Amino acid sequence: MNFPHRRALLCAIAVLCCTGHLWAQAEKLSKQDAARFQTKLAQIEKNAVTPRKGNAARTTQVTDVEVNSYLKFSAGSQVPVGIVDPMLHGAGNGRVTGSAIVDLDAVRKQKQRGWLDPLGYMTGRLPITATGRLATKEGVGTFTLETAAVSGVAIPKTVLQELLSYYSRTAEDPNGINMDDPFQLPARIREIRVGKATATIVQ
């Protein structure tokens, strides 16, 4: 999956993945909505390699239900091992909320922890929630974290960053994602407008 790009997905997984609790109760996820998102994704990728006719921008709107249905039924191995039930929620005006169940033991055990390190006291699989603002312009995106919590208890940004770095690292990028770094949008996407329960992709 190249959309919203492994980085953008994991950055709204800065929230380490995305809504869940309150919004999941209201959403009814389905394989049909997952298929709808897959079709829109294919169109976005097609737009990236098809010349535009004139100067008019091409837009594709996706909904929370479509994205979260895709994550539940179709994303498969695209979601890192150790992250369960990721969901995303557009709160409007560029704000993104998220949650997931995250394996904290895998991160905690990667190094020795001091008694002042919050991750030294977090064990097992716990719900992570966070809220931030996604800003995009001219093909470049930035994510600004506002709040983050584990099991409803606020955590500092450094803790969330360590989780994000761990779960986004690859052989090519062993340090993983820094949520403060600007990132290039894929598929010639110029802008992502986050509304309430929707996002509009502009190419």
Side-chain angles (χ1 to χ4, degrees), residues 96-116:
V96 180
T97 306
S99 74
I101 305 299
V102 179
D103 183 356
L104 300 179
D105 286 338
V107 184
R108 178 175 55 82
K109 293 176 180 178
Q110 68 176 334
K111 68 178 183 181
Q112 192 165 4
R113 306 278 175 180
W115 66 278
L116 291 177

Side-chain angles (χ1 to χ4, degrees), residues 4-13 88 134 177 183 185-186 192:
H5 176 237
R6 198 179 61 86
R7 176 176 211 125
L9 173 64
L10 287 172
C11 245
I13 284 182
L88 290 169
L134 176 67
I177 291 168
F183 53 92
L185 299 175
I192 300 175

Side-chain angles (χ1 to χ4, degrees), residues 69-86:
S69 292
Y70 179 86
L71 290 172
K72 180 176 178 65
F73 297 109
S74 304
S77 61
Q78 294 158 5
V79 176
V81 174
I83 294 178
V84 180
D85 293 336

Side-chain angles (χ1 to χ4, degrees), residues 26 44 47 63-64 71 74 110 114 120-121 140 144 146 150 157 162 167 169-170 182 185 188 195 203:
I44 290 168
N47 289 345
T63 68
D64 286 0
L71 290 172
S74 304
Q110 68 176 334
Y121 303 93
V140 176
T144 303
E146 295 178 351
V150 173
K157 180 180 177 179
E162 185 171 352
Y167 280 109
R169 64 187 182 180
T170 63
L185 299 175
R188 296 190 178 181
Q203 294 174 284

Side-chain angles (χ1 to χ4, degrees), residues 151-194:
S151 294
V153 179
I155 57 173
K157 180 180 177 179
T158 53
V159 172
L160 190 65
Q161 177 59 64
E162 185 171 352
L163 295 172
L164 178 62
S165 297
Y166 179 84
Y167 280 109
S168 64
R169 64 187 182 180
T170 63
E172 297 76 21
D173 185 9
N175 293 322
I177 291 168
N178 184 330
M179 75 175 77
D180 290 330
D181 289 344
F183 53 92
Q184 195 73 32
L185 299 175
R188 296 190 178 181
I189 295 172
R190 305 307 302 161
E191 185 182 359
I192 300 175
R193 301 169 184 165
V194 180

